[in-house]
Amino acid sequence: MFQVEYNQDAQTLFLSGNFDTQRAEEVKEVLEKVDSSITIDMSDLDFICSAGIGVMILAYRKLKEQGKDICLINLNEHIKKVFKVSLLDKVFNIQ
């Protein structure tokens, strides 16, 4: 089961389950409302597809234009590898 939980006070987005094409629009809607730097906690995320990566890139570009940042935290080894292979580990702030 995929879950998106957004804590607006802490500007943290929690993702869990499989971030696939069917879920991309849900995350996109949340990220479109963000107007400050945000942390995305992926500790419970099992999978991310290219559509999910695309949503992350769109949010990154929007926030960068505003002088804001996205920090990705708690990536499992599989998701870290996806970001590394696509060279997005050089773009995103991954901790």
Side-chain angles (χ1 to χ4, degrees):
M1 182 169 141
F2 182 73
Q3 283 190 298
V4 176
E5 179 184 333
Y6 179 53
N7 179 334
Q8 190 170 359
D9 295 333
Q11 291 299 314
T12 303
L13 178 66
F14 299 91
L15 300 177
S16 62
N18 293 325
F19 188 176
D20 56 20
T21 304
Q22 295 175 341
R23 309 298 185 211
E25 191 62 36
E26 182 179 353
V27 176
K28 182 179 176 185
E29 288 175 12
V30 172
L31 289 173
E32 284 176 344
K33 296 175 188 172
V34 172
D35 60 357
S36 64
S37 293
I38 186 170
T39 299
I40 299 178
D41 188 328
M42 299 182 168
S43 55
D44 293 324
L45 191 66
D46 300 318
F47 172 82
I48 188 167
C49 73
S50 59
I53 296 284
V55 167
M56 304 290 285
I57 291 170
L58 287 173
Y60 171 84
R61 287 181 180 163
K62 174 193 162 213
L63 290 174
K64 272 300 181 194
E65 287 175 2
Q66 299 172 359
K68 310 293 192 277
D69 193 22
I70 292 180
C71 178
L72 308 179
I73 62 171
N74 301 322
L75 284 70
N76 67 32
E77 290 305 313
H78 171 73
I79 295 186
K80 278 183 191 175
K81 186 174 181 179
V82 169
F83 277 84
K84 186 172 182 167
V85 167
S86 60
L87 301 177
L88 291 173
D89 62 329
K90 308 289 186 224
V91 175
F92 287 94
N93 176 8
I94 299 176
Q95 298 180 7

